[in-house]
């Protein structure tokens, strides 16, 4: 009788697990996950997945006319737009131009960001709050406003530094690319600095104390401890910079009103914008898809080459 009573009153393992999976309000764990993830999933699909899918679909269309003056109709054209992309010398010239831009500008910008982050983390620096704000403040300036401001500084007839700009034409065909690089560096070095500085703040102080007990000075700590430990953050900022380089648009588009050396296809994104303005949306979409794939490949290859140090 006792055994039977225990069997009838003791809950089964399955029922206990079921109760554990349910929250006090009666909402299961699985449903709770869906409720919290659903808003992100909907926004991700609306503003990322669907636009990419539509761009790919648009790139497969072409315009067909009945006769010379017939109404234009969009019909399926297969890969014909991609053939035009790979035959477009101006577009690939713009890709090569921004690659040269990135090879020079990205290392310089990340070096300055790392230097500023190390300065902010140094125990010898006074007024850290002021310098942190001063380094980061240019990032608060929109890219278009920054380009307009620097455009006036570069222009020989408008610049307050006319003695310099009259002898060195920063808006000439030889220098305008590096003038754009200066603007991008000025705007984004503080943003990258903040990412690296946040990584420096996460390093345990015990490591520094142990290094000082071993006789290491501030320079040895910075080179031997801080820089290796923030390598993942540096790689992250490098990936962001690679993506941003291939998306360069606001600065060259704004400086076109100051310099005739910037053509309508000076950068890949400017070429896409110009093609869409004709309008030729299918070819612009094909440009965009190819550019997105190139960005993905470059970022993926860079991560593959650096992942051992990033995740060590």
């Amino acid at each position: 009788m006792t055994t039977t009573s225990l069997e009838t009153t003791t809950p089964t393992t399955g029922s206990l697990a079921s109760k554990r999976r349910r929250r006090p309000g009666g909402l299961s764990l699985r449903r709770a996950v869906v409720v919290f993830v659903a808003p992100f999933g909907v926004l991700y699909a609306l503003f990322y997945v669907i636009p990419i899918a539509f761009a790919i679909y648009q790139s497969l269309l072409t315009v067909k006319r009945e006769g010379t003056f017939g109404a234009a109709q969009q019909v399926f054209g297969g890969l014909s737009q991609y053939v035009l992309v790979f035959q477009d010398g101006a577009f690939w010239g713009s890709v090569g131009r921004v690659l040269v831009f990135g090879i020079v500008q990205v290392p310089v910008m990340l070096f300055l960001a790392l230097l500023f982050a190390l300065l902010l983390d140094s125990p010898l620096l006074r007024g850290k709050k002021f310098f942190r704000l001063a380094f980061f403040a240019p990032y608060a300036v929109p890219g278009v406003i920054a380009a307009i401001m620097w455009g006036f500084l570069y222009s020989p007839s408008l610049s307050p530094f006319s003695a310099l700009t009259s002898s060195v034409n920063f808006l000439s065909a030889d220098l305008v690319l590096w003038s754009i690089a200066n603007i991008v560096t000025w705007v984004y070095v503080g943003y990258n600095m903040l990412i690296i500085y946040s990584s420096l703040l996460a390093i345990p102080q015990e490591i520094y104390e142990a290094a000082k007990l071993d006789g290491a000075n501030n320079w040895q700590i910075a080179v031997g401890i801080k820089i290796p430990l923030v390598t993942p953050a540096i790689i992250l900022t490098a990936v962001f910079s690679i993506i941003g380089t291939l998306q360069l648009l606001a600065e060259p588009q704004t400086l076109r009103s100051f310099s005739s050396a910037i053509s309508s296809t000076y950068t890949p994104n400017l070429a896409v914008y110009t093609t869409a303005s004709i309008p030729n949306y299918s070819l612009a979409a094909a440009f965009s898809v190819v550019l997105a794939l190139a960005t993905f490949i470059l970022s993926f290859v860079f991560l593959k080459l650096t992942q051992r140090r990033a995740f060590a």
Side-chain angles (χ1 to χ4, degrees):
M1 293 295 292
T2 304
T3 303
T4 306
S5 176
L6 288 173
E7 290 177 352
T8 56
T9 57
T10 302
T12 63
T13 304
S15 62
L16 284 174
S18 177
K19 288 181 179 179
R20 291 193 190 101
R21 286 196 299 267
R22 293 187 175 276
R23 297 183 178 273
L27 187 64
S28 67
L29 180 60
R30 183 176 299 176
R31 291 181 180 177
V33 171
V34 171
V35 168
F36 283 106
V37 174
F40 167 78
V42 171
L43 293 175
Y44 183 80
L46 286 176
F47 297 102
Y48 190 80
V49 176
I50 293 177
I52 290 177
F54 181 75
I56 295 173
Y57 165 75
Q58 186 75 36
S59 69
L60 299 176
L61 302 178
T62 188
V63 176
K64 183 179 180 181
R65 296 178 182 272
E66 293 293 338
T68 306
F69 301 102
Q73 295 180 345
Q74 283 191 326
V75 297
F76 180 76
L79 300 178
S80 59
Q81 300 294 351
Y82 291 96
V83 173
L84 295 177
V85 169
F86 286 98
Q87 291 176 347
D88 194 312
F91 174 75
W92 292 107
S94 69
V95 172
R97 186 176 294 110
V98 296
L99 288 178
V100 173
F101 173 95
I103 290 172
V104 177
Q105 187 269 336
V106 171
V108 171
M109 179 177 62
L110 295 186
F111 171 77
L112 292 175
L114 176 62
L115 178 63
F116 292 159
L118 291 173
L119 286 174
L120 288 178
D121 196 57
S122 172
L124 303 178
L125 182 68
R126 298 292 181 265
K128 291 185 179 182
K129 292 183 179 179
F130 168 78
F131 286 106
R132 184 166 64 239
L133 179 61
F135 293 152
F136 184 73
Y139 181 68
V141 180
V144 174
I145 303 300
I148 293 174
M149 180 186 71
W150 280 97
F152 280 108
L153 293 176
Y154 290 144
S155 179
S157 59
L158 301 173
S159 175
F161 311 103
S162 56
L164 175 62
T165 56
S166 59
S167 58
V168 180
N169 187 3
F170 293 100
L171 298 176
S172 64
D174 295 330
L175 295 179
V176 69
L177 182 65
W178 310 117
S179 298
I180 296 173
N182 176 63
I183 299 173
V184 175
T185 302
W186 182 80
V187 172
Y188 288 101
V189 69
Y191 169 79
N192 294 304
M193 177 272 298
L194 197 61
I195 295 176
I196 299 172
Y197 180 59
S198 301
S199 183
L200 284 171
L201 293 179
I203 299 175
Q205 294 297 317
E206 293 80 3
I207 298 178
Y208 300 149
E209 295 172 1
K212 289 179 180 178
L213 289 175
D214 290 338
N217 56 34
N218 290 327
W219 171 257
Q220 291 171 330
I221 291 174
V223 175
I225 296 177
K226 292 183 178 181
I227 294 178
L229 289 179
V230 299
T231 298
I234 297 173
I235 293 174
L236 177 65
T237 56
V239 172
F240 289 163
S241 301
I242 291 172
I243 295 172
T245 296
L246 289 173
Q247 292 179 345
L248 195 62
L249 174 64
E251 291 80 7
Q253 172 71 358
T254 305
L255 285 182
R256 286 189 68 192
S257 57
F258 294 92
S259 173
S260 59
I262 301 177
S263 66
S264 60
T265 58
Y266 195 74
T267 66
N269 257 8
L270 197 53
V272 174
Y273 176 80
T274 303
T275 305
S277 302
I278 292 176
N280 190 344
Y281 299 119
S282 296
L283 183 57
F287 279 140
S288 301
V289 171
V290 172
L291 184 59
L293 288 175
T295 305
F296 170 78
I297 292 171
L298 281 176
S299 302
F300 181 79
V301 170
F302 179 81
L303 282 175
K304 277 294 183 182
L305 294 175
T306 58
Q307 66 179 353
R308 290 185 179 180
R309 296 195 65 183
F311 303 106

